[in-house]
Amino acid sequence: MIQKRGKQGAAERVFAALLCAVPFAILFVIHCYIQKDGLDDYYYGSFTTGGIGYYFHMLAENYTNRNGRTFVHALCALMLTHNLWPFRVFNVLVLFGFSFFGGKLAGDGRRPLLFCAAALSLLMLTGIAVLREAVFWASGSFNYLFPTTLVIVFFFCLRNLPETGARRFLILPLGLIAGASTEISGVLAIAAALYTLKKPYKLRFATLITSAVGFLTLLLSPGMRGKYAQSSAASAGIFERMHINLSLFSQEALTLDGLPFLLSLTLIAAALWLLFRGGKRLRPLSAVFFALAVLSVLTYFDVLNRTYQINGTALLACAALALFAVLQYLRGERIIPFSLLCALLSLGVCLVSTVCSARMLFPAAAFFAVTALRSFAICEFPRKIALCAAVLLVAAASIILVSFTGIYSNIAATRDQPAAAQLSVAAYDGDALVTDEIIFQNGTYYIGIRALGNYLGGEVAWVSQYAARITYNGHEYYFRQFAKNALIDINGGYSRSLHSPIVFGYTSYISVEDAQEIFNIDIYIK
C-alpha cells in the first residue's frame, strides 16, 4: 500500500511538472517576439547608450524631473539592451517567481508545482489589455508585474522569517525595495509589514520602518511631485477624481479587457467555501456570492451597461470579498485576508490616481488570483477534482497564451510597416469640414477624439493621463486609450461598446462609424 501511494505521488509530481511546463514554454515563445514598444521603452533604453556616467546621470534626472521610481527604472534600463533578451529571460523568471511564491502561499507548501501551474493559469485569465500593458510590455512589466511579485515574495519571507541567523536581516533591503518600487507596491509593502507585526518585534518593526522609508523616497521625490502637479487630473478635487475613477475603473475592470472572469472565479471560490466548509449559518451567504459572480459576467456581455449597474456590481463584489476576508480572519486563516486586503488597497490607489489605465488593475488581479486559488485549496476537494480543475485552468491559460503568440508574432512580422496611414482626405458633416486628420487602418477610417470634440463645439479635456472627456449637448463622453468601451455620463449614464479604438502618434482615435452612432452625426470621407 505504501509503495502504491509512493508511485501515485511520483506520478502526480511528474504530471504537475508537465502542467507547469506547458504555459511557461508558451510564455517563452511569446517573449521571443516582444519588441520595444512605446515612448517609455525607448526613453529608458537610452540610459545605457552613453556609458556608466550617463546611466547614473539619466537616473538622477529621471528622479528629479520625471518620477521617483528609481529602482524599477534603473533595472528596466539595464534590461532593455541586447535586443531585449535580458528582459525576455528576466520577465519569464519574474512570472515564475510570482507563480511559485503565490502557489506556495495558496497551497501552504503542498503540491508546489501543481499550485505554481494553477497560479500562473489564473493570472492569465486577466483581461488581454491588462496583460498586454502590465506583463508583455517591458516598461509596464517593471512597473506592475515586478513590484507585485516583490510584495508577494516579501510577504512570504515575513511569514517564514527565522528567529535567528544572519539571513533574516535580508528582509530589510527587500522591504526597502518593495516600498520604493511603485506607489501601489509601497502601500502594499507597508500593509504586509503591519499585517505580520508580531514576535520578534524588533526586526519586524525595523522592516516596517524600511518599507515606509522606501515608500517616502518615492512619494516625496521631486519628479513625483512635478508629475502630479503637471497632470491635468490633479486640478480636480480628490472626491471628484474618486467619483470619476470609480466609474472609469469599474467599467475597465468589468469588460473583457479587465477582470470579469478572474473576479467571478474569486467570488465562486468564496461561494464554494461558504457552501461546503462554512457551516449551516454561512451556507445561505454562498447564494449572494454566486449571484455577484453572475452579475460581473453580465457586465461583460453588456446586459448590465448602465453606469450605476457597473459601479454597483463592482462595489458589491468588493464589499462581499471584504466580508469574506473578515470571516476567514476570524477563523484563523491568514492568506486570504491579506490577499484581499492587497487587492482592495490596490483598487483604492486606483481611485485616487491621476492616471486611468488598464495596467493599474494588474496588482488587484494578481491578488485575486492568489485569493481564488487559496479559497479552492481550503475547500479540500478530493485529489481527482483538484487535478481536473488544474488541467482545465492550464488549458484555458494555454489557449489565451497561444492567442498572444499569434498577436506578437504578427506584430514582429510587420514591425517595420506603418500600423496606420494618415491620408490626404477629410471628414465632412454635410458641407461642413470636421477635420482633415483622418487615419485609415484595416479597412476602417478613424477620427481624432479632440478634433471631433472641437468640431462639435464641445469641451475637450483630459480627466487622467489616459482618459479624454468630451462634454457635449449636456452629456459627458469618456474615452480611454485602447479601451473598447466608451462611458457616457458618470451619473445615470451607460457604457457603450466601441469597434476598435486606436492610438496613433500619441493621439487617440475612434472609428468614424462609432462617432456617427454616438454623436448622431453623418460623417463622410472625401
Side-chain angles (χ1 to χ4, degrees), residues 434-458:
V434 179
T435 178
D436 58 0
E437 296 182 356
I438 301 297
I439 297 296
F440 183 76
Q441 184 183 42
N442 298 330
T444 302
Y445 287 101
Y446 291 86
I447 186 170
I449 291 174
R450 180 172 290 278
L452 176 62
N454 290 337
Y455 166 74
L456 293 170

Side-chain angles (χ1 to χ4, degrees), residues 51-298:
I52 189 71
Y54 181 73
Y55 171 74
F56 284 108
H57 165 74
M58 290 301 294
L59 285 178
E61 184 180 10
N62 184 66
Y63 183 79
T64 304
N65 301 320
R66 192 173 173 92
N67 66 54
R69 300 176 183 177
T70 303
F71 177 75
V72 291
H73 291 153
L75 193 57
C76 178
L78 293 174
M79 295 294 170
L80 292 172
T81 58
H82 299 91
N83 198 25
L84 283 188
W85 276 107
F87 163 73
R88 291 166 179 160
V89 175
F90 181 80
N91 209 48
V92 172
L93 291 175
V94 173
L95 281 165
F96 178 78
F98 164 80
S99 305
F100 179 77
F101 286 101
K104 289 273 281 187
L105 287 172
D108 226 0
R110 298 171 298 169
R111 301 173 180 170
L113 289 176
L114 187 65
F115 277 96
C116 178
L120 177 65
S121 300
L122 276 171
L123 188 66
M124 292 302 110
L125 297 182
T126 307
I128 289 177
V130 179
L131 292 176
R132 183 181 63 231
E133 293 183 23
V135 176
F136 299 118
W137 175 38
S139 296
S141 175
F142 280 100
N143 284 280
Y144 294 95
L145 170 63
F146 177 65
T148 303
T149 303
L150 270 181
V151 172
I152 287 176
V153 173
F154 181 50
F155 178 66
F156 179 85
C157 293
L158 283 171
R159 275 180 53 85
N160 298 278
L161 189 66
E163 295 185 5
T164 59
R167 286 188 307 168
R168 61 195 176 118
F169 293 105
L170 293 175
I171 198 69
L172 297 175
L174 183 58
L176 181 69
I177 293 169
S181 293
T182 66
E183 298 90 313
I184 292 178
S185 73
V187 171
L188 301 187
I190 293 172
L194 283 170
Y195 190 83
T196 56
L197 194 58
K198 59 181 183 180
K199 293 182 179 180
Y201 287 112
K202 288 184 179 180
L203 181 57
R204 293 183 184 273
F205 187 73
T207 304
L208 173 62
I209 296 299
T210 56
S211 302
V213 168
F215 182 54
L216 289 175
T217 61
L218 166 68
L219 200 63
L220 301 180
S221 65
M224 190 63 69
R225 293 201 303 271
K227 178 183 177 182
Y228 179 81
Q230 293 171 7
S231 171
S232 58
S235 59
I238 182 68
F239 292 108
E240 179 185 354
R241 189 160 68 247
M242 290 175 67
H243 185 210
I244 293 172
N245 283 354
L246 172 62
S247 294
L248 293 177
F249 277 107
S250 295
Q251 181 200 38
E252 185 80 70
L254 294 174
T255 56
L256 179 61
D257 286 340
L259 315 177
F261 297 115
L262 188 54
L263 180 60
S264 295
L265 276 177
T266 306
L267 289 165
I268 289 170
L272 289 174
W273 183 87
L274 290 167
L275 186 62
F276 294 108
R277 301 293 173 184
K280 291 183 179 179
R281 290 184 178 180
L282 297 178
R283 193 169 296 156
L285 194 58
S286 64
V288 176
F289 283 76
F290 280 124
L292 287 172
V294 172
L295 287 178
S296 66
V297 174
L298 290 178

Side-chain angles (χ1 to χ4, degrees), residues 5 50 100 112 244 316 341 343 386 407 460 476 522:
R5 287 180 180 176
F100 179 77
I244 293 172
L316 286 173
L341 173 65
I407 292 170
V460 183
E476 294 178 335
D522 186 19

